[in-house]
Amino acid sequence: MKLKAALALLAVVSPLIAHAQFAKPEDAVEYRQSSLFLLGNHFSRLGAVVKGEQPFNKDEVAKNAELVATLSKLPWPAFENGVTTPKSKAKPDAFSNHAKFKEASDKMELAVAQLNTAAKGGDLASIKKAFGEAAQTCKSCHDSFRAK
Ligand code: HEC
């Protein structure tokens, strides 16, 4: 391959590689917990609106749903090195049963993408329904793969 073509290819794939790499293996734990923390925070803000604890502001809801959809893609590569120290709550199955874990994360990403679409539409009833379905995908993965 010509050098120029090789460099162009590297420029395309290197962000994908960098995605799953960490300076220290334990950084993966912090990365996944931090991204899930942010995801949980913005998801809860939507939950407060859905439960009627906060007023329905379409723009705020759309902003949070967009963030949730973006954040939903971040945690998974940080599970790939299988590191659980320090203080990970991931059960061993999250690493050994990769296919089932991936299925659960795919389901969640799809559900929050649908929630994002509903949020952009601005209809509260559709948002509530999509939120409920997304919340179910969090719960089902936590039940199987996260220690109490
Ligand atoms: C594919 C499985 C999976 C899905 C789907 C999932 N989670 Fe989790 N979640 C985990 C695991 C595993 C942990 C523990 C990670 C660790 O400690 O290493 C976790 C941890 C968390 C934490 C704690 C982060 C911290 O501060 O340490 C929050 C908050 C969270 N998830 C929120 C959510 C929300 C909200 C959703 C749905 C929108 C969701 N999760 C969907 C597997 C999942």
Side-chain angles (χ1 to χ4, degrees):
M1 200 188 300
K2 292 218 175 74
L3 182 61
K4 226 174 165 183
L7 287 175
L9 182 65
L10 190 66
V12 174
V13 297
S14 62
L16 301 175
I17 296 169
H19 209 68
Q21 282 177 346
F22 299 95
K24 291 182 270 137
E26 316 85 86
D27 286 354
V29 176
E30 192 167 334
Y31 185 100
R32 72 169 90 110
Q33 290 178 340
S34 306
S35 52
L36 284 160
F37 175 82
L38 290 174
L39 176 78
N41 185 290
H42 290 281
F43 195 70
S44 306
R45 295 184 202 193
L46 293 169
V49 174
V50 163
K51 288 182 213 140
E53 295 164 4
Q54 289 290 327
F56 176 43
N57 174 320
K58 280 183 194 177
D59 293 341
E60 278 298 306
V61 163
K63 199 176 82 185
N64 282 311
E66 175 84 46
L67 282 169
V68 166
T70 303
L71 290 164
S72 73
K73 301 184 174 75
L74 296 182
W76 321 123
F79 280 91
E80 281 166 13
N81 71 0
V83 173
T84 52
T85 49
K87 293 197 191 112
S88 170
K89 287 199 169 168
K91 286 186 184 167
D93 258 16
F95 312 106
S96 58
N97 197 343
H98 184 72
K100 197 177 161 217
F101 189 75
K102 170 127 184 22
E103 194 186 308
S105 66
D106 285 350
K107 265 192 193 153
M108 188 273 255
E109 284 187 45
L110 185 67
V112 300
Q114 284 164 349
L115 174 59
N116 190 20
T117 305
K120 283 194 166 68
D123 171 48
L124 186 56
S126 313
I127 294 167
K128 282 185 178 173
K129 185 168 175 282
F131 179 89
E133 282 163 9
Q136 193 50 50
T137 67
C138 314
K139 185 180 182 306
S140 116
C141 186
H142 290 164
D143 287 349
S144 309
F145 296 111
R146 185 175 71 164
K148 292 267 153 11

